[in-house]
Amino acid sequence: MDEQLWLEFKGTAGPGLGRRIVLVSGDEEYRSEEALPMLAKILSAHHGFDCTVLFAINPGTGEIDPDCQTNIPGLDVLDSADLMIIFVRFRELPDEQMKHIVDYVNSGRPIIGLRTATHAFQYSRNTDSPYARYDCTNEEFEGGFGRQVLGETWVDHHGHHGFESTRALINPSSKDHPILRGVTDVWGTTDVYATGELTGDPQVLLDGQVLTGMNPGDDPKPNTPTMPIAWIKDYTGDEGKASRVFCTTMGAATDLLSADLRRLVINAAYWGLRMEDSIDPGRSVEPAGPYEPTEFGFGTYIKGRRVSDYR
């Protein structure tokens, strides 16, 4: 197969010149295959970063197939990445692919996790893999990648999935954090995820308020506590090197219609790279091209798309 199975965008101008971000997509429900190319184009066109976007690819057809849990070509580019943004769900990758993710996680370089990255991996086919400990249900490496690296694994839907949306509230103790620079109004159609006690001495940036409906003006749901929906922490891997980690349980393709949510993630990229002095709320976070995301849902992805369709 001669076609390239990942996207590459070269930064042209901006503070990110010379830095490489790898964005790893692969989830069945929230259209990461649409969200991450859009974010990569913003990071490249408006901020100067070189960006590579990886996809779940059906090895038989070469098409983007979010239901294919066992193949994300191009993960070796993580070996030279400065930042990884990961938005995958229940993947079980071949060891030769997974090794690049694990090596990155242990390298001390920064990590951003979006939405289902809290339950990124689940092993049922190759339970003897040396990487099976990253399974979101692992008991020894409790909660696997999500809980240990990002701060939490899958717990439950806190809001009524598909019926109650999310309003983000800035945590007062974090209001001056550079990641929140220019961030005032975050709302998304996906529901609030439940969380337990986060790992790794986290700092909560945003709390999620459950709304009674699917519109930004809907009332808060009575007698319903908020849950952390965006936080930062450190993770020290097997090599003893500490990574800066940002995680948000928002991030579906439709959530990212919110300009302030896009800004939150992009600001987090600067912070992860220790470039927080370059966070400029006046720098554009508008999509660098049309963006009309597909509604979330299982089986709703656009069939037959190839990587070149996002180029």
Side-chain angles (χ1 to χ4, degrees):
M1 192 176 295
D2 294 332
E3 65 180 309
Q4 185 166 292
L5 298 178
W6 51 87
L7 292 177
E8 293 181 327
F9 300 105
K10 187 74 174 173
T12 54
L17 280 176
R19 312 299 291 275
R20 186 178 197 179
I21 299 176
V22 175
L23 301 92
V24 186
S25 73
D27 88 289
E28 302 93 332
E29 186 174 9
Y30 295 106
R31 306 285 70 85
S32 60
E33 73 278 2
E34 297 182 18
L36 295 194
M38 180 272 293
L39 284 175
K41 291 174 185 177
I42 293 173
L43 286 161
S44 176
H46 302 322
H47 299 263
F49 294 98
D50 294 338
C51 293
T52 302
V53 187
L54 308 181
F55 299 89
I57 299 290
N58 185 310
T61 65
E63 295 173 352
I64 296 171
D65 183 356
D67 291 332
C68 179
Q69 297 178 323
T70 57
N71 187 41
I72 300 178
L75 282 164
D76 58 301
V77 298
L78 285 171
D79 298 350
S80 59
D82 297 298
L83 168 68
M84 176 177 70
I85 300 178
I86 185 165
F87 186 173
V88 303
R89 176 185 183 273
F90 290 161
R91 303 294 104 171
E92 186 175 353
L93 300 172
D95 288 351
E96 62 269 22
Q97 292 187 7
M98 187 66 178
K99 181 181 187 300
H100 296 290
I101 293 177
V102 172
D103 286 350
Y104 182 92
V105 165
N106 287 324
S107 71
R109 287 170 287 171
I111 301 162
I112 291 177
L114 303 181
R115 190 64 176 173
T116 57
T118 60
H119 40 297
F121 306 107
Q122 188 175 60
Y123 278 72
S124 61
R125 303 165 183 86
N126 182 19
T127 56
D128 292 330
S129 167
Y131 307 118
R133 67 196 292 254
Y134 290 91
D135 185 311
C136 61
T137 64
N138 191 279
E139 295 181 359
E140 181 181 354
F141 194 55
E142 185 208 356
F145 171 84
R147 182 148 178 78
Q148 295 302 316
V149 178
L150 299 183
E152 186 54 290
T153 185
W154 167 248
V155 176
D156 202 352
H157 292 283
H158 183 57
H160 188 181
H161 184 44
F163 293 88
E164 295 173 342
S165 59
T166 298
R167 166 68 62 198
L169 305 176
I170 292 175
N171 188 306
S173 65
S174 299
K175 62 183 177 61
D176 296 324
H177 195 279
I179 291 178
L180 294 174
R181 201 171 293 159
V183 176
T184 59
D185 182 19
V186 175
W187 170 82
T189 57
T190 54
D191 61 297
V192 176
Y193 274 175
T195 61
E197 183 177 352
L198 303 176
T199 64
D201 192 24
Q203 179 179 352
V204 175
L205 304 179
L206 296 177
D207 290 294
Q209 183 181 63
V210 178
L211 301 188
T212 55
M214 299 294 283
N215 298 295
D218 288 331
D219 292 331
K221 187 176 181 179
N223 304 314
T224 304
T226 61
M227 290 282 172
I229 59 168
W231 60 85
I232 56 173
K233 56 166 286 191
D234 287 342
Y235 172 71
T236 301
D238 296 341
E239 297 178 11
K241 300 174 183 177
S243 298
R244 281 188 167 189
V245 176
F246 168 87
C247 182
T248 177
T249 55
M250 297 187 75
T254 49
D255 288 345
L256 287 162
L257 288 168
S258 165
D260 279 17
L261 182 58
R262 297 193 300 270
R263 188 171 299 282
L264 179 82
V265 175
I266 289 164
N267 286 356
Y270 280 90
W271 171 83
L273 290 163
R274 302 183 185 276
M275 296 172 59
E276 50 263 61
D277 289 347
S278 296
I279 295 175
D280 177 3
R283 190 172 288 275
S284 177
V285 294
E286 289 305 302
Y291 184 60
E292 298 177 357
T294 304
E295 291 294 331
F296 62 85
F298 292 104
T300 66
Y301 73 94
I302 300 174
K303 312 300 189 295
R305 277 199 172 170
R306 308 186 82 86
V307 170
S308 57
D309 293 323
Y310 290 102
R311 192 165 286 124

